[in-house]
Amino acid sequence: MAGVLARRDRALNPEETEALLREHLGEQVLGSVVEFGTFTCKLAPEGWVEAARLARDEPQLAYDLFDSLFGVDAREEGFDVVAVLYSTSTGNRLVLRTRVPGGRDAPRLASITEIYRGADWMERETYDMFGVVFDGHPGLEPRILTVENFEGWPLRKDFHLASRAAKPWPGVKEPAELDEDGNVIERVPEIGDAPGPYELDKAMAAQAKAVIEQERVEREERERKAAERAAKAAERQARKEAKARAAAEAAAAKAAAAEADADQQPASSDEEDGA
Amino acid sequence: MSDLSTREKIHPGTAPGEDIALEIVGDGDFATTDMTLSIGPAHPATHGVFRIVLELNGERITAARPVIGYMHRGFEKLAEYRDFRQIKALVNRHDWLSGFSNELGVALVVEKMLEMEVPDRAQWIRMLIAEWNRVLNHLMFVGSFALELGAITPMFYAFRERDEIQYLLEAATGGRLHFTYNQVGGLKLDLPKGFLAESVRLSKLTQERLPDYFDLVLGNEIFQARTVGVGPLPPEVALSFGVTGPTLQAAGVPEDSRVTEPYLKYDEVDVPVHLGENGDSFDRFACLLYRIQYSLHIIDQIHDHLPAGPVNTKLPKMVKAPEGAAYQRIENPLGQLGYWLESDGGRTPWRLKMRTPSFSNVQSIPYLLEGMLVPDAISVLGSVFFVVGDIDR
Amino acid sequence: MNVELTASLSPAVFVPAPSAFDLDVAFGITVAIKVAFILALFLVVPLVVGYMEHKAMGRLQHRRGPVAAGPFGTLQLVADGIKFIQKEDVIPAAADRKVFALAPGLALVPAILVFLVLPFGPGVWAVDLELGLFYALAISSVSVLGVMMGGWASANKFSLIGGLRAGAQLIAYELPLILAAIAVAVQAGTLSLVGIVEAQATFTLPGTDLNLWFVFPQILGFVIFFLASLAELSRPPFDMPIADSELVFGYMTEYTGIKFAMYLLTEYAGMVSMSALMVVLYLGGWQLLPGVGLPGCEGAGGMFDCGWLGAIGGVVITLAKILILTFIMVWARVAYPRLREDQLQRLSWLVLVPLSLINLAVIAIAKVVVF
Amino acid sequence: MGVMDQVELPKPVRYVFNWGRKFSLWCFNFGLACCAIEFIAASTSRHDFIRLGVIPFAHGPRQADLLVVSGTLTDKMAPAVKRLYEEMPEPKYVISFGSCANCGGPYWDSYSVTKGVDQVIPVDVYVPGCPPRPEALLDGIITLQHMIQHESLPDRIAGRRQDAVTLGADAPLTLEGR
């Protein structure tokens, strides 16, 4: 883990990334923006595939994790396609964005399935939701999410939900509904002001932990006592054995002495024989 | 399943002009008629409505084609008709096993656009619940993967823990699966009395029972025989597919948003990540089990750090995100969840794209299945962890 | 020793042990009583085993098992039976109708016929065949024909794969099963199941008076027999023919109502008959403990020629042993995932067959040299 | 089947037959979405509907008596549900588990969600909730068992979905009311 984080020092910042892309793509980089911490690079559709290839293959960029690809409705001008890439080595995120040529009637864009395997289903989904055709894709049909014979492109803004047209919102209030006087109905923020039953909570958690700790201590105590008892027993046993051994030794010594006394003559005679 | 044309295929002798003759094609292999086996959309192995069409030669898979969309409910469209408070009650249902993480993502991305400061206590509690949610999710997969391999008992064991945790979370949030506990700017309510004590107790209990799973499943000889070396996923292929979560970590890539792009207070706690070596089914499952253990480790740290203070901020009369687009990525139990929120300044989002982990993970299944036996397909389907609603949204 | 050897090898006329049902009445009545006895066993014991499975699985999984149907849920399987009678009999349009209808019966009948030779207590058997063991093993392997027919006739791909797997499994595991059983026949010197029980009651460890069941010298054979019978019955962890996560319900996928119930009954009757065979071959039949006879019995080893008390005691002991063995089968189901088909075949051909050959060789040599 | 849906059986026989059906509800879990998780929770240790004779071991529709549709039914899935229901042999029962299966639930305005499983197949008991608790499913099962015990099979076949029960709305949440 630490190794990964260390490699981040070499990561390019947004300006450097844009400069690098410009160097290879020239005029096809239309601009870039850092919004809420996310670096977005706007591209001309002609540079779409090349930019993805650069992002993956350029060693300084190395955007290896294909995060997602999706469409966004761009009102009269047609649709945007956005690809989010992430680099596991530098920890950077790059968002590529392009406006699909063909307007709302016949949007077509080149496919990047050759570069990222994960683009396959993402492009199928974009086709299913927006009707954007991807040239070079292995097969956009059958529609990936909706029913095979579904008519229309659900995520386009001109696709209206039939149920909503037929029936009003069944809940009590519409999203952020206005009251009779035209004011927004206000939510009563009464909870956030109170600090919450924190001290009691903490005390109880401490108690619970104390119980666990107590159990552990008791268990250890028991184990220690058991060990002590065992040690004492072993000691007693050892003492007993030592005593027994001593007694046995004494007896043996006595016997040996007696034997030695008895065997004195033959033993010495043996020695004499050996000699 | 039982139409006449397929019957003719599987009974070669009955089709006119066809002989039951086996052609020997070198190495003693027989040339056999290929068979198409459609598993799903309602099949026990696919836990949910996921369909996969297999081309079989004997029991060997020559091609696999997943068919998805059976659970497509149009979340992204519906989100455009709901305001930012209502969206969180919607999104926590797409991955129904990780409701809290889903709504957390929305809360975070809206807060990011509003540039809102969330109270510390709320962030720590969010982390606590998110980690419990992760444990819940993973326990479910421990049970279901074992069930797919034919072992029924781990499911019952897993639900024993799940039930306890669900009761705990219900005490705080009021929900068993879909918590709807987040709000833009904090949480709905503070934790109830005694929650922490119970959480401490349960964390200890789960940690004590966790070795059961390691023994019963991971250490089981038959389990190992069924999973080791099955469906290895090389890291570069995994990344190209956009595979994340335990499936990616099993391939040995140390990518976990909690570490590499910390959100909430994950930079203040120790987040260990278990990495696999081969990316096979065994590694994927091992990563899942270790994630449970490490989540409990994080939960224990949160117990020690939880600060006092308010849990939400006063909101403006109407939550309206400013014009622009923001992207927020969080580590969902199954992988990286990304929300791309594009706003035109109105009270509903202009576009809310959900980048769900299962969608990308499942894409890798045809790659994994090619050349495998049918029973191995089950092992792979079970170990590339996915939730059907998370694929189809 | 030479004398004994020739004596045991000399051709002897086999005298079947008399059954308690061989009453001194008309032949027809005797046959009717025996049929009733077999059917009663066949219908009741599998139900008891099924109930035990429900309850044991429940307890092992922190559940309670069925409690609502009857006292303590004892009538759960009766309710199942009543329900199956009422179910609609669906035959798929593409199915081979005759074969489809015949298949469950063909699986069920051999399962009944095995009960013909199984001894359950002193005198409590229908008939004592000279080739009893051979008959039992041969007839029990016919069931798989019904399984394969069912798999083929359903015209369903999952069924077909299930049926073929069942066939492949039978071929693979019949061999170690029979090789293990042969070792018992060699040691007992007879193929009659009653004879094998008698041989166990009188077998003593050479040089001592210690009475032993065959499980002690042949523990390896017993384990092989147990594993192979699990596989033959396609019980977990060898339940590939009905692997639910792969093949829905295998060969049973298209069967409904009473036909499906017949397959289920076949499975449970198979568990009972295989366990009964194990009890007879390895666990000393109705002997309580090695060397302990039944009350009121005078025959060999205190196990034959009993009064009715001894007969009942014997039946109870046999059934208890059967329940213990079936419980172990249930336990394996609860504890283990299932193997893969090729791993299963490998286990049989590369492990169990060689081991059972070694077992047979060792027993044969020991029979000549030691026993 | 055959005769039994034509002829009214004598009362004692009918009692026994109904009792058999009541306690042997082999259940095919048609787990569609979130509710499937609560369904599984209802089958495991704490709630354990196997106690009531609901056996979740029917892996295919052919062996099942009870279809629990738990979760959102989409237009893409609806034909499969219809077919699955038709594959089940009579007598068969359906529990619609969860708001989505009852009426479309939170996806009432979606372009791809069927507004209730009863548009496709007849339903016997509706269990409301999003998702309902496992206890609610147990309640639904007991309600169904009560219905089965007191039903007549020919009548049931003749007019199937006339007497559907919605828990909490049609029937009070205690057994006495049924």
Side-chain angles (χ1 to χ4, degrees):
Chain A
M1 212 40 75
V4 178
L5 298 175
R7 264 179 286 156
R8 301 199 159 180
D9 302 341
R10 298 199 306 260
L12 298 184
N13 61 24
E15 294 80 43
E16 289 164 347
T17 309
E18 195 193 342
L20 188 71
L21 285 175
R22 259 187 211 287
E23 190 184 308
H24 287 87
L25 295 169
E27 286 309 301
Q28 283 157 5
V29 179
L30 300 177
S32 70
V33 62
V34 179
E35 249 183 337
F36 306 111
T38 309
F39 172 54
T40 307
C41 184
K42 294 199 172 113
L43 295 161
E46 295 77 31
W48 179 245
V49 179
E50 199 45 42
R53 193 186 306 282
L54 274 176
R56 186 191 64 176
D57 293 340
E58 194 66 37
Q60 282 170 292
L61 298 176
Y63 287 101
D64 47 359
L65 177 65
F66 181 76
D67 192 286
S68 57
L69 182 146
F70 51 91
V72 177
D73 193 307
R75 300 177 179 84
E76 297 80 36
E77 291 146 57
F79 306 100
D80 284 358
V81 168
V82 181
V84 183
L85 307 172
Y86 179 78
S87 166
T88 52
S89 48
T90 63
N92 271 358
R93 175 169 295 107
L94 173 66
V95 177
L96 301 175
R97 183 166 187 152
T98 186
R99 181 134 310 160
V100 183
R104 295 186 81 84
D105 303 322
R108 284 187 97 86
L109 188 69
S111 163
I112 57 166
T113 42
E114 291 287 302
I115 300 160
Y116 290 107
R117 288 170 193 256
D120 183 351
W121 281 17
M122 298 280 185
E123 287 181 358
R124 278 182 71 185
E125 191 198 336
T126 310
Y127 167 73
D128 193 359
M129 293 291 135
F130 289 94
V132 178
V133 177
F134 287 90
D135 292 318
H137 189 278
L140 293 167
E141 294 280 354
R143 298 182 72 153
I144 188 167
L145 291 178
T146 51
V147 195
E148 284 84 350
N149 55 7
F150 192 83
E151 281 175 16
W153 312 104
L155 278 183
R156 290 189 181 188
K157 287 286 174 183
D158 47 24
F159 181 93
H160 295 292
L161 294 176
S163 305
R164 275 195 178 258
K167 195 165 85 172
W169 169 256
V172 180
K173 301 283 179 210
E174 259 292 344
E177 205 180 359
L178 306 178
D179 65 9
E180 305 87 55
D181 306 332
N183 296 323
V184 175
I185 295 169
E186 200 179 327
R187 171 182 149 279
V188 189
E190 56 188 11
I191 316 131
D193 309 334
Y198 174 70
E199 289 307 323
L200 181 65
D201 229 22
K202 202 172 166 188
M204 288 178 83
Q207 214 174 351
K209 256 182 225 161
V211 169
I212 292 170
E213 183 63 22
Q214 181 69 24
E215 278 171 6
R216 195 181 61 79
V217 169
E218 277 172 11
R219 194 173 58 239
E220 275 175 7
E221 182 69 8
R222 269 201 306 281
E223 275 164 12
R224 196 179 55 75
K225 273 187 183 158
E228 256 173 31
R229 270 201 302 280
K232 261 182 198 159
E235 202 177 304
R236 263 204 305 281
Q237 186 70 20
R239 225 180 297 140
K240 213 186 266 175
E241 267 170 19
K243 213 184 257 175
R245 204 164 41 239
E249 263 167 24
K254 218 182 239 173
E259 228 167 79
D261 285 347
D263 292 351
Q264 199 65 49
Q265 289 318 108
S268 53
S269 67
D270 273 357
E271 274 170 24
E272 280 167 18
D273 284 350
Chain B
M1 248 186 278
S2 52
D3 56 326
L4 207 63
S5 61
T6 56
R7 180 164 172 250
E8 282 171 3
K9 242 188 206 165
I10 57 175
H11 299 146
T14 58
E18 215 180 317
D19 294 324
I20 313 175
L22 292 170
E23 189 191 336
I24 296 175
V25 287
D27 289 348
D29 272 354
F30 296 117
T32 48
T33 326
D34 276 7
M35 167 167 140
T36 312
L37 189 69
S38 171
I39 297 184
H43 184 278
T46 59
H47 50 83
V49 282
F50 173 71
R51 179 164 162 232
I52 187 157
V53 182
L54 303 175
E55 296 281 339
L56 298 183
N57 183 352
E59 282 213 31
R60 198 163 286 284
I61 298 165
T62 52
R65 193 163 53 83
V67 181
I68 62 169
Y70 288 100
M71 203 27 69
H72 178 60
R73 299 180 279 194
F75 273 95
E76 291 172 12
K77 185 74 177 176
L78 297 188
E80 291 172 11
Y81 283 82
R82 282 152 171 75
D83 72 16
F84 291 108
R85 294 173 194 154
Q86 290 170 324
I87 286 172
K88 67 182 163 45
L90 185 72
V91 292
N92 58 16
R93 280 160 171 79
H94 70 80
D95 175 357
W96 44 75
L97 286 172
S98 25
F100 189 83
S101 301
N102 299 338
E103 59 187 64
L104 178 63
V106 167
L108 285 177
V109 72
V110 176
E111 283 156 13
K112 193 183 218 178
M113 289 189 87
L114 292 171
E115 287 165 358
M116 185 182 270
E117 280 291 316
V118 179
D120 271 4
R121 181 168 169 84
Q123 299 206 25
W124 282 95
I125 294 176
R126 279 178 175 182
M127 249 163 76
L128 178 64
I129 309 274
E131 290 306 319
W132 271 125
N133 198 192
R134 195 183 312 277
V135 174
L136 268 184
N137 174 306
H138 288 348
L139 279 173
M140 175 75 203
F141 279 100
V142 169
S144 74
F145 184 38
L147 190 69
E148 273 147 32
L149 293 179
I152 34 185
T153 311
M155 189 64 137
F156 290 92
Y157 276 51
F159 265 80
R160 181 185 60 182
E161 265 81 270
R162 265 185 66 92
D163 267 325
E164 298 242 7
I165 299 170
Q166 277 184 328
Y167 280 112
L168 173 75
L169 297 189
E170 195 185 353
T173 66
R176 280 170 59 87
L177 288 179
H178 307 317
F179 305 109
T180 329
Y181 190 45
N182 276 298
Q183 270 182 351
V184 174
L187 297 164
K188 188 171 71 180
L189 291 164
D190 205 333
L191 295 177
K193 280 181 202 170
F195 181 91
L196 272 192
E198 188 62 14
S199 181
V200 166
R201 187 190 70 79
L202 207 52
S203 162
K204 177 161 179 289
L205 183 77
T206 316
Q207 278 174 26
E208 273 172 3
R209 285 175 177 175
L210 212 52
D212 284 0
Y213 300 102
F214 280 91
D215 292 347
L216 192 67
V217 189
L218 209 61
N220 186 307
E221 299 82 3
I222 296 182
F223 176 83
Q224 289 172 359
R226 288 291 306 273
T227 52
V228 173
V230 172
L233 185 62
E236 60 281 1
V237 178
L239 289 169
S240 178
F241 272 120
V243 167
T244 48
T247 316
L248 181 66
Q249 286 160 8
V253 182
E255 178 57 39
D256 188 315
S257 307
R258 291 174 294 173
V259 181
T260 53
E261 242 186 336
Y263 51 99
L264 296 179
K265 298 283 178 188
Y266 278 113
D267 47 352
E268 292 180 28
V269 292
D270 169 37
V271 184
V273 176
H274 179 80
L275 295 181
E277 284 171 11
N278 311 315
D280 54 10
S281 289
F282 183 82
D283 279 347
R284 285 191 279 267
F285 187 77
C287 279
L288 191 83
L289 265 182
Y290 277 105
R291 271 165 79 108
I292 300 183
Q293 191 176 334
Y294 294 151
S295 279
L296 292 168
H297 173 64
I298 298 171
I299 287 169
D300 282 349
Q301 297 176 56
I302 298 170
H303 290 150
D304 296 334
H305 284 92
L306 195 62
V311 294
N312 51 21
T313 45
K314 198 162 180 176
L315 286 177
K317 285 183 176 176
M318 189 192 286
V319 180
K320 279 186 184 174
E323 211 165 322
Y327 188 80
Q328 173 67 43
R329 179 178 82 152
I330 65 167
E331 183 77 12
N332 240 32
L334 296 180
Q336 286 168 13
L337 175 76
Y339 285 119
W340 174 272
L341 178 61
E342 197 157 328
S343 171
D344 59 348
R347 62 185 189 196
T348 59
W350 177 256
R351 173 90 168 97
L352 180 74
K353 163 69 187 176
M354 303 167 181
R355 183 265 183 225
T356 50
S358 305
F359 188 79
S360 299
N361 290 4
V362 165
Q363 258 199 88
S364 67
I365 282 180
Y367 172 87
L368 291 174
L369 287 189
E370 215 175 299
M372 259 178 200
L373 298 174
V374 172
D376 282 343
I378 305 307
S379 165
V380 168
L381 277 177
S383 66
V384 177
F385 308 102
F386 63 86
V387 167
V388 182
D390 205 29
I391 305 172
D392 297 341
R393 299 169 306 242
Chain C
M1 189 180 145
N2 272 340
V3 182
E4 281 172 28
L5 192 65
T6 44
S8 64
L9 285 179
S10 68
V13 180
F14 175 76
V15 184
S19 157
F21 304 112
D22 286 329
L23 302 176
D24 202 8
V25 286
F27 176 70
I29 296 174
T30 316
V31 169
I33 292 174
K34 285 180 178 177
V35 168
F37 161 69
I38 289 173
L39 283 182
L41 271 181
F42 179 73
L43 291 176
V44 173
V45 183
L47 282 195
V48 175
V49 169
Y51 175 68
M52 186 276 293
E53 175 165 29
H54 265 306
K55 280 298 194 188
M57 273 176 68
R59 287 297 177 186
L60 289 167
Q61 295 168 346
H62 303 267
R63 293 188 286 115
R64 297 192 60 195
V67 293
F72 305 107
T74 38
L75 299 180
Q76 178 61 47
L77 290 158
V78 178
D80 281 341
I82 294 173
K83 191 248 348 230
F84 279 128
I85 294 170
Q86 300 172 71
K87 290 299 271 187
E88 185 185 1
D89 186 24
V90 179
I91 300 179
D96 191 331
R97 298 180 75 89
K98 282 180 196 159
V99 180
F100 186 80
L102 197 62
L106 198 67
L108 186 72
V109 170
I112 304 180
L113 290 180
V114 179
F115 281 73
L116 201 62
V117 292
L118 295 177
F120 282 85
V124 188
W125 55 79
V127 61
D128 176 27
L129 286 184
E130 183 178 0
L131 288 172
L133 180 59
F134 175 75
Y135 168 85
L137 292 176
I139 204 99
S140 67
S141 59
V142 175
S143 277
V144 80
L145 202 58
V147 168
M148 288 181 72
M149 278 166 64
W152 189 85
S154 302
N156 178 324
K157 292 166 191 174
F158 293 118
S159 299
L160 184 72
I161 296 178
L164 288 180
R165 280 185 177 185
Q169 207 158 309
L170 178 96
I171 293 169
Y173 280 85
E174 194 74 352
L175 208 56
L177 186 85
I178 290 177
L179 285 172
I182 285 175
V184 172
V186 166
Q187 192 176 350
T190 174
L191 280 172
S192 152
L193 292 177
V194 178
I196 290 174
V197 173
E198 189 176 347
Q200 288 187 67
T202 51
F203 171 70
T204 52
L205 196 66
T208 62
D209 279 345
L210 198 58
N211 180 218
L212 283 183
W213 294 343
F214 285 173
V215 66
F216 297 112
Q218 300 201 28
I219 181 73
L220 182 62
F222 176 68
V223 171
I224 292 170
F225 194 95
F226 187 82
L227 288 180
S229 58
L230 273 185
E232 290 236 320
L233 296 166
S234 45
R235 293 281 306 174
F238 305 111
D239 60 338
M240 291 74 177
I242 50 171
D244 60 284
S245 55
E246 298 156 29
L247 301 177
V248 189
F249 228 140
Y251 55 89
M252 294 191 269
T253 304
E254 293 286 350
Y255 280 93
T256 60
I258 197 77
K259 287 177 188 155
F260 174 71
M262 281 159 93
Y263 271 131
L264 272 194
L265 193 56
T266 307
E267 184 184 333
Y268 284 99
M271 277 170 79
V272 173
S273 58
M274 276 295 174
S275 304
L277 265 182
M278 275 181 257
V279 169
V280 168
L281 294 182
Y282 295 101
L283 300 178
W286 50 90
Q287 210 177 3
L288 183 58
L289 286 170
V292 179
L294 287 170
C297 299
E298 289 145 15
M303 290 180 65
F304 289 91
D305 309 325
C306 306
W308 61 271
L309 194 67
I312 290 175
V315 172
V316 168
I317 290 169
T318 311
L319 290 182
K321 286 179 183 174
I322 289 176
L323 267 185
I324 291 170
L325 283 175
T326 46
F327 172 75
I328 297 173
M329 291 182 182
V330 173
W331 197 358
R333 176 178 179 185
V334 170
Y336 281 106
R338 79 174 61 85
L339 279 167
R340 213 169 57 201
E341 186 65 25
D342 61 321
Q343 290 165 345
L344 171 104
Q345 296 282 345
R346 210 170 289 139
L347 176 68
S348 168
W349 295 109
L350 298 183
V351 180
L352 293 188
V353 170
L355 279 182
S356 58
L357 283 171
I358 292 169
N359 179 50
L360 179 59
V362 168
I363 295 297
I365 293 167
K367 172 78 178 172
V368 176
V369 177
V370 188
F371 300 151
Chain D
M1 223 39 210
V3 197
M4 245 172 284
D5 54 348
Q6 311 289 328
V7 185
E8 190 69 71
L9 294 164
K11 209 173 174 191
V13 181
R14 199 171 82 199
Y15 179 85
V16 171
F17 273 34
N18 284 354
W19 176 86
R21 286 209 308 283
K22 172 182 167 187
F23 282 126
S24 174
L25 289 168
W26 285 43
C27 166
F28 185 81
N29 170 26
F30 201 56
L32 288 164
C34 333
C35 301
I37 308 301
E38 292 296 56
F39 175 90
I40 298 170
S43 73
T44 50
S45 315
R46 189 181 286 265
H47 306 287
D48 186 22
F49 58 44
I50 302 171
R51 281 179 301 148
L52 306 171
V54 180
I55 318 271
F57 296 157
H59 305 303
R62 295 283 192 214
Q63 294 81 30
D65 314 298
L66 171 64
L67 179 68
V68 179
V69 183
S70 43
T72 319
L73 184 68
T74 57
D75 292 345
K76 198 170 185 175
M77 198 62 207
V81 173
K82 175 105 183 124
R83 179 166 172 180
L84 204 76
Y85 179 74
E86 282 163 0
E87 277 175 352
M88 282 168 65
E90 290 280 355
K92 51 193 170 189
Y93 303 90
V94 177
I95 291 181
S96 161
F97 184 62
S99 292
C100 293
N102 294 346
C103 64
Y107 316 105
W108 68 278
D109 51 348
S110 170
Y111 53 87
S112 60
V113 172
T114 309
K115 311 295 177 285
V117 68
D118 52 4
Q119 303 196 348
V120 187
I121 57 174
V123 172
D124 291 286
V125 176
Y126 296 94
V127 181
C130 187
R133 303 175 62 87
E135 290 90 332
L137 181 59
L138 295 183
D139 194 24
I141 287 167
I142 289 172
T143 310
L144 181 67
Q145 287 184 337
H146 192 72
M147 279 166 63
I148 294 173
Q149 184 66 72
H150 296 282
E151 79 182 357
S152 129
L153 208 50
D155 288 357
R156 177 185 164 74
I157 305 282
R160 184 179 295 281
R161 50 194 284 197
Q162 284 166 1
D163 49 354
V165 171
T166 306
L167 288 185
D170 292 358
L173 289 169
T174 51
L175 258 185
E176 281 74 44
R178 290 172 204 154

